Amino acid sequence: MVTPGLWEAMEEAESDSGYPQELTYELLESMRRIDPGLNSFITVNGAAVEQARRRSGKGPLRGLPIAIKDSITTDGIETTCGSRILEGYVPPYNSTAVERLIAAGGVVLGKTNMDEFSMGSTGENSYFGPTRNPWDLERVPGGSSSGSAAAVSAGLAPAALGADTGGSVRAPACFTATFGLKPTYGRVSRYGLIAYANSMEQIGPITRDTRDAALLMSIIAGWDPKDPTSSKEPIPDYLGALDVDVKGWKIAIVKEMVDGGVDGDILRSFWRAVDEASSLGIDIEMTSVKYLGHALAAYYIIACSEASSNLARYDGLRYGMTGEYVGNWRKVFAKIRGEGFGREVKVRIMLGTYMLSAGYYEEFYLKALKVRRLVAESFYRLFKKYRLLLSPTMPILPPRLGEKLMDPLAMYMMDVETVPASLAGIPSASLPAGFSKGLPIGLQIMGPPFGEPEIFAFSARLEEKLGLNPRPPISL
Amino acid sequence: MPKVDVEKLRKLAVLELTPDEKKEVEQKVKEVLGYFEKLRSLDLSGIDPMYTVEFEKPHYRDDEPLRFDSDELLRLVHKGKDRYVKAPRMV
């Protein structure tokens, strides 16, 4: 069996009402065979086949299964966020994104592996073990939505939801040759998304192609009274956007993002993709984003600060793991948190605590927020002139397991291309753009606020032109 | 380079660290702080901090109580009695 993408599966389900159930059964069977090597799922939904049968024919998704990142809350299905501290936590409610998928006839196939609390760019920082890349099992699939991307790439799911804070959808999409989108901040409700850096993170699709992502976005996007930061901007016709003619569009490449820090092989593939883009009749220029050299530091200062506050709630009292009550609350909470959080989470909590402490708040945190404004405004200005901005998604090829793990800076540097869009809250996607040494390379497409339709239009045309349709060596 | 008092940070963050972890966390925190240093030298006076994305003002819902099955939530609690959550000693 070759696992279809979501759109193809939908067409199949339209003519055969038994198909969603069959597909779900097949996927669960294949998972047993393939997933021990990939480790893309933490939890499988034991009721998925039955739910696929019951929802067959309902809504646009007709009972089709979708993999969900384990930071996205699912009613009755364990949600760990890749952390020991949430092991055994079975939420009594659905995140809005999952609620909407279910209302559209979707089924939760399972919960995918991820860097603990989304803190990682490789997929290795999970309490449940590292996820591996189906293109090369010795290499990382990118993170933090590592399992969602590995599963879609290997055909263990027709589509998945991930979540992106500083590149957590785009990085694994890039490393696994899948399509990933971080939507505009506020476009998708964050209700039920376990918070890491709440001023930046967004739930987004990871799919085989642009069309599947447009389809998922048309289901999950939109205002939600349960998330005050969700936008009331009307939902455009994402699927209709796929047919929009891009001829004559003006698009720019961000100069600072194609400089010396990017691997030569990646640059070669990037420029080839740019050539293909110009053959679509697109006018391509070079441009510059101000203060971009400070974006990575600003991003990590803000993300760690928000994390130190957001992760204060884990005390072992009300849910997740617990421990013996020996001593006062400080001792008990410190012990539970010390045992429940992994190393990288501890490092980031400590960094955030430092940034927010007296004396350093103004010097680090406030400065980072000011850089954020300068970077964001530079982007917004550029979008008055250009429809979209382009860069490579990742500056390096997927590293080998363990290669970046012990060096936090080397790991953070991997996010240099993806964090600017996160600071600005603009939508940004990664499209498979080629290969080097058999490993995937991604093109990052950044759009103006609420410019998902422009991203989809351009991505769909370029995808057609590149004609990659990649399937890794390990796949169904 | 600012000084890092790991013991103080650890207490503020309410985190227990093994001696090994302490060493590793201290080294990593220092390394990352070193990288953040270049930001400190920037003159950004007159720029407003951007706490969050500002495309729209937050849309708060009306202040009306919503019903939620609190038994569902209490089922998640490990230590408790009747409808109370048992917590460690506070003082």
Side-chain angles (χ1 to χ4, degrees), chain A residues 134-433:
Chain A
W135 289 91
D136 179 347
L137 288 177
E138 295 309 310
R139 291 177 187 270
V140 304
S144 66
S145 309
S146 54
S148 286
V152 171
S153 176
L156 288 176
L161 290 188
D164 189 309
T165 310
S168 283
V169 158
R170 290 163 283 162
C174 171
F175 281 176
T176 61
T178 50
F179 180 89
L181 171 76
K182 180 197 87 73
T184 306
Y185 186 79
R187 185 75 289 185
V188 178
S189 168
R190 289 184 300 108
Y191 179 74
L193 171 64
I194 296 176
Y196 156 33
N198 52 287
S199 81
M200 293 182 279
E201 57 209 5
Q202 275 288 291
I203 293 172
I206 297 179
T207 53
R208 295 213 75 85
D209 58 23
T210 311
R211 183 169 56 180
D212 284 357
L215 172 64
L216 278 181
M217 279 299 287
S218 65
I219 294 167
I220 63 170
W223 181 61
D224 174 16
K226 290 172 178 162
D227 174 7
T229 65
S230 67
S231 168
K232 287 194 173 177
E233 190 78 19
I235 307 299
D237 179 3
Y238 292 131
L239 287 164
L242 298 168
D243 299 320
V244 168
D245 189 6
V246 298
K247 204 169 164 205
W249 278 22
K250 210 180 229 191
I251 289 179
I253 292 158
V254 182
K255 201 172 63 192
E256 296 83 356
M257 293 171 132
V258 288
D259 67 6
V262 183
D263 176 278
D265 285 344
I266 290 176
L267 280 182
R268 271 188 290 281
S269 283
F270 172 78
W271 289 115
R272 264 203 303 276
V274 168
D275 281 346
E276 295 290 354
S278 41
S279 75
L280 292 168
I282 287 170
D283 182 7
I284 295 180
E285 294 180 10
M286 292 295 280
T287 192
S288 186
V289 176
K290 286 190 183 132
Y291 288 88
L292 211 56
H294 294 286
L296 190 71
Y299 168 81
Y300 270 97
I301 291 170
I302 296 167
C304 292
S305 301
E306 292 184 13
S308 75
S309 166
N310 282 322
L311 271 61
R313 73 191 65 173
Y314 301 102
D315 54 20
L317 230 62
R318 292 152 298 160
Y319 45 77
M321 75 172 270
T322 190
E324 291 302 312
Y325 289 175
V326 182
N328 68 11
W329 68 273
R330 256 185 194 286
K331 281 203 174 112
V332 173
F333 290 177
K335 189 162 194 310
I336 290 168
R337 289 161 63 78
E339 285 169 5
F341 290 135
R343 296 275 170 110
E344 183 59 25
V345 175
K346 287 175 186 170
V347 168
R348 294 198 197 186
I349 290 176
M350 300 275 276
L351 280 167
T353 307
Y354 182 92
M355 299 305 156
L356 297 179
S357 60
Y360 299 120
Y361 179 88
E362 289 81 5
E363 284 181 70
F364 287 104
Y365 183 60
L366 273 185
K367 277 219 161 138
L369 293 175
K370 289 177 178 190
V371 169
R372 179 182 194 177
R373 179 172 304 283
L374 292 168
V375 170
E377 285 179 353
S378 184
F379 270 118
Y380 305 155
R381 267 195 303 276
L382 287 175
F383 286 120
K384 291 196 173 119
K385 195 168 170 199
Y386 303 109
R387 295 270 193 156
L388 300 165
L389 298 174
L390 303 179
S391 80
T393 308
M394 298 302 280
I396 54 170
L397 291 166
R400 292 179 190 284
L401 268 93
E403 204 178 309
K404 301 279 174 192
L405 197 57
M406 286 315 287
D407 182 352
L409 271 185
M411 171 96 77
Y412 299 176
M413 295 291 181
M414 288 171 67
D415 303 338
V416 69
E417 310 277 79
T418 50
V419 297
S422 300
L423 288 173
I426 56 173
S428 174
S430 180
L431 173 73

Side-chain angles (χ1 to χ4, degrees), chain B residues 66-77:
Chain B
L66 299 176
R67 294 197 67 81
F68 197 92
D69 185 0
S70 51
D71 288 336
E72 287 254 10
L73 293 178
L74 285 163
R75 259 198 287 278
L76 296 168
V77 171

Side-chain angles (χ1 to χ4, degrees), chain A residues 89-90 92 184-185 199 223 225 228 230-233 293-294 296-297 300-301 316-320 322-323 325 328-330 332-335 337-338 341 343 346-347 349-351 353-355 360-361 363-364 366-374 376 380 406-409 412-413 423-425 449-450, chain B residues 1-18 20-21 24-25 27-61 66 68 72-73 76-79 85-91:
Chain A
Y89 168 56
V90 180
T184 306
Y185 186 79
S199 81
W223 181 61
S230 67
S231 168
K232 287 194 173 177
E233 190 78 19
H294 294 286
L296 190 71
Y300 270 97
I301 291 170
L317 230 62
R318 292 152 298 160
Y319 45 77
T322 190
Y325 289 175
N328 68 11
W329 68 273
R330 256 185 194 286
V332 173
F333 290 177
K335 189 162 194 310
R337 289 161 63 78
F341 290 135
R343 296 275 170 110
K346 287 175 186 170
V347 168
I349 290 176
M350 300 275 276
L351 280 167
T353 307
Y354 182 92
M355 299 305 156
Y360 299 120
Y361 179 88
E363 284 181 70
F364 287 104
L366 273 185
K367 277 219 161 138
L369 293 175
K370 289 177 178 190
V371 169
R372 179 182 194 177
R373 179 172 304 283
L374 292 168
Y380 305 155
M406 286 315 287
D407 182 352
L409 271 185
Y412 299 176
M413 295 291 181
L423 288 173
F450 304 101
Chain B
M1 176 72 214
K3 280 179 79 168
V4 181
D5 183 347
V6 173
E7 185 51 27
K8 187 183 157 201
L9 281 182
R10 184 200 72 73
K11 278 189 183 151
L12 282 171
V14 196
L15 271 180
E16 193 174 271
L17 299 174
T18 63
D20 257 12
E21 275 182 327
E24 186 188 324
V25 169
Q27 182 242 320
K28 284 184 175 176
V29 166
K30 275 187 176 157
E31 193 186 333
V32 177
L33 284 175
Y35 177 70
F36 291 168
E37 271 301 284
K38 62 174 188 170
L39 205 82
R40 286 174 103 198
S41 56
L42 288 178
D43 178 14
L44 300 171
S45 45
I47 313 284
D48 283 334
M50 181 176 159
Y51 290 92
T52 191
V53 173
E54 298 158 346
F55 304 140
E56 290 168 33
K57 289 216 156 57
H59 307 288
Y60 295 112
R61 65 177 171 84
L66 299 176
F68 197 92
E72 287 254 10
L73 293 178
L76 296 168
V77 171
H78 299 283
K79 298 180 177 74
V85 180
K86 190 180 175 193
R89 223 158 29 84
M90 290 293 147
V91 281

Side-chain angles (χ1 to χ4, degrees), chain A residues 37 49 55 101 142 273 286 329 346 394 421 430 433 459 461 464 472:
Chain A
V49 175
R55 286 178 209 153
L101 281 182
M286 292 295 280
W329 68 273
K346 287 175 186 170
M394 298 302 280
S430 180
S459 177
R461 287 292 81 68
E464 219 168 54

